[in-house]
Amino acid sequence: MRTQVAIVGAGPAGLLLGALLHRAGVANVIVEQRSADYVLGRIRAGVLEQVTVDLLHEAGVASRLQAEGLPHDGFELSFGAERLRIDLRALTGRRVTVYGQTEVTRDLMAHRAAAGLATVYEAEQVQPQGWDGDRPRLTWRQGGAEQRLDADFIAGCDGFHGVCRATLPAAALRTFEKVYPFGWLGVLADTPPVNHELIYGRSERGFTLASMRSATRSRYYLQCPLDDRPEAWSDEAFWAELARRLPPDAAAQLVTGASIEKSIAPLRSFVAEPMRFGRLFLAGDAAHIVPPTGAKGLNLAAADVGLLARALAEHYGGSDAGIDHYSARALARVWKAERFSWWFTSLMHRFPDTGEFGARLQRAEFDYLCGSTAAQTALAENYVGLPLGA
Ligand code: APR
Ligand code: PHB
């Protein structure tokens, strides 16, 4: 087989890149190691920046999002019983859209199938080769036979545990990492949300997030120890702890019910530099990870592939300026999102090792936010997402 761009990974990054390239008339094939059902089963967040919404419109994959997405003009922070609304619309003129990122993946998969674009699922032992020369190719095994895809470029959209970054010579890569001393215990339930907007909470007992997927489906998170396990939490225990941590007037609105999903995710900040190696490009979680506090994971992946799709289309239009600047431009935005996600995580979580002094600093930051439009604007600008070229 031959194509113009070989994409490794059919997660949001790979699927959106494929859709944007197709829109630009650039042929592409996606090679994914898992089944489509497995990819759809991944637990994902639920907030889209306007940049992501615009890219999905550009890719022609936004009709269900337009119909079912929930525009949010603000969100709340709470410290104990105190609540502060961050008015995104008033402070930045922009908003976010609440829409399950699993639904984004589903919409992208449906769009790809309807366009008749080639996607290889359940590919075994995928190997990117020749990316440091002018004949890049992917090989893999399927049905006991060796398969090969020749291409002009390879896009590594294969996530944090993928093969593309792992295949690069260690000397060619610089990585930066911070692991947080806690995780998030998440529950999905068909119950009405406690509030019409998200509430990020800091209580003495730890972080909470009250989010949603719709007016009838809630998504909640509790900060938990790294060695905690979902099976150690009955639904009753989860609801009781959530009610203890939510601001009292929000807890009074809590409707409990059977959990339809319960899982624990660790929190990590990670960046690999650069994001280009000859004819191989990294995008999305293959290149960077953020703690979910700022809801930046999928949004950063979308921004990467928005830049990469334009750069590759420009190459076929005769200019290599885009691909030559891709890594620097993508990383400039990645690091700003890494900073924001780290700052927001540091503000809202209980860090046992920073003791009472650290807790007082967090309280002081919240009090400053309550009294400063400038501080709220800085938070709002980062939350709604910086412009694509920032
Ligand atoms: N060969 C082929 N496919 C692979 C390989 C491999 N060796 N390794 C991983 N993959 C596939 C995975 O099975 C997965 O479907 O690559 C895909 C990577 O998808 P994600 O991990 O979802 O990463 P990405 O597409 O960058 O999405 C980024 O979306 O929902 C958010 O929080 C989520 O931050 C994440 C973001
Ligand atoms: C979610 O709804 O899953 C969600 C929302 C906002 C976040 C993280 C997760 O910051």
Side-chain angles (χ1 to χ4, degrees):
M1 275 192 284
R2 162 162 265 288
T3 190
Q4 290 175 302
V5 181
I7 300 171
V8 186
L15 289 165
L16 180 54
L17 176 61
L20 290 168
L21 289 174
H22 176 61
R23 197 85 175 177
V26 179
N28 62 89
V29 174
I30 294 180
V31 180
E32 162 62 50
Q33 68 174 0
R34 300 285 191 165
S35 68
D37 285 345
Y38 180 93
V39 176
L40 281 174
R42 291 276 307 278
I43 303 307
R44 301 180 187 278
V47 170
L48 304 182
E49 294 177 0
Q50 192 59 44
V51 165
T52 303
V53 172
D54 294 345
L55 286 167
L56 288 166
H57 275 285
E58 183 181 330
V61 191
S63 51
R64 193 158 72 102
L65 166 61
Q66 187 130 5
E68 298 176 18
L70 304 174
H72 278 216
D73 287 346
F75 68 91
E76 290 190 28
L77 301 180
S78 68
F79 258 64
E82 286 182 68
R83 296 170 66 165
L84 168 67
R85 182 171 186 267
I86 303 296
D87 190 338
L88 299 173
R89 193 94 166 144
L91 293 165
T92 70
R94 285 181 288 155
R95 57 182 25 167
V96 295
T97 301
V98 169
Y99 186 71
Q101 292 172 8
T102 298
E103 302 316 308
V104 173
T105 309
R106 195 189 313 279
D107 296 343
L108 285 163
M109 281 182 177
H111 174 271
R112 188 164 182 88
L117 300 180
T119 310
V120 177
Y121 285 102
E122 298 180 287
E124 300 160 9
Q125 302 163 32
V126 178
Q127 276 300 326
Q129 299 177 28
W131 38 267
D132 48 354
D134 56 8
R135 296 183 59 225
R137 59 198 177 277
L138 292 184
T139 61
W140 68 92
R141 294 192 64 77
Q142 193 154 47
E146 177 91 355
Q147 309 291 333
R148 172 171 167 149
L149 173 65
D150 292 288
D152 300 330
F153 299 100
I154 298 173
C157 299
D158 49 346
F160 184 65
H161 301 288
V163 65
C164 289
R165 192 182 74 247
T167 204
L168 296 167
L173 205 60
R174 287 193 68 194
T175 59
F176 307 83
E177 185 167 42
K178 176 180 182 58
V179 178
Y180 297 87
F182 41 75
W184 278 18
L185 168 62
V187 158
L188 196 64
D190 280 330
T191 56
V194 290
N195 191 46
H196 69 290
E197 294 177 330
L198 274 61
I199 304 177
Y200 293 81
R202 168 72 165 95
S203 80
E204 285 302 315
R205 302 173 66 90
F207 170 82
T208 56
L209 172 57
S211 182
M212 66 201 73
R213 293 292 176 269
S214 70
T216 59
R217 178 165 284 193
S218 299
R219 179 67 168 159
Y220 294 105
Y221 297 94
L222 295 178
Q223 173 181 349
C224 66
L226 270 178
D227 60 0
D228 211 341
R229 294 170 297 106
E231 53 272 16
W233 287 83
S234 67
D235 286 357
E236 295 66 29
F238 180 86
W239 295 123
E241 182 62 25
L242 178 66
R244 278 192 286 269
R245 296 191 193 185
L246 284 172
D249 48 3
Q253 301 300 316
L254 181 61
V255 176
T256 65
S259 62
I260 50 181
E261 192 279 328
K262 192 183 290 170
S263 57
I264 289 181
L267 275 67
R268 178 199 312 270
S269 299
F270 174 85
V271 179
E273 293 184 356
M275 290 171 59
R276 177 205 183 173
F277 304 84
R279 289 178 173 264
L280 170 66
F281 298 88
L282 298 179
D285 275 16
H288 42 72
I289 295 286
V290 283
T293 320
K296 293 298 169 198
L298 182 132
N299 292 298
L300 271 183
D304 288 349
V305 300
L307 290 173
L308 184 54
R310 291 177 192 170
L312 290 168
E314 282 173 18
H315 164 80
Y316 291 105
S319 164
D320 279 355
I323 58 176
D324 290 343
H325 292 94
Y326 164 72
S327 180
R329 290 186 66 197
L331 284 168
R333 199 169 187 281
V334 164
W335 275 110
K336 294 185 181 76
E338 290 283 348
R339 183 212 63 83
F340 171 69
S341 302
W342 161 82
W343 171 83
F344 202 11
T345 302
S346 303
L347 173 64
M348 298 306 295
H349 290 75
R350 189 167 170 274
F351 288 79
D353 62 339
T354 56
E356 271 313 297
F357 182 76
R360 287 289 192 281
L361 290 181
Q362 291 174 319
R363 176 76 229 194
E365 180 105 41
F366 178 72
D367 290 344
Y368 175 55
L369 278 162
C370 288
S372 166
T373 303
Q376 291 178 35
T377 303
L379 167 48
E381 280 185 343
N382 283 279
Y383 192 85
V384 296
L386 300 177
L388 195 51

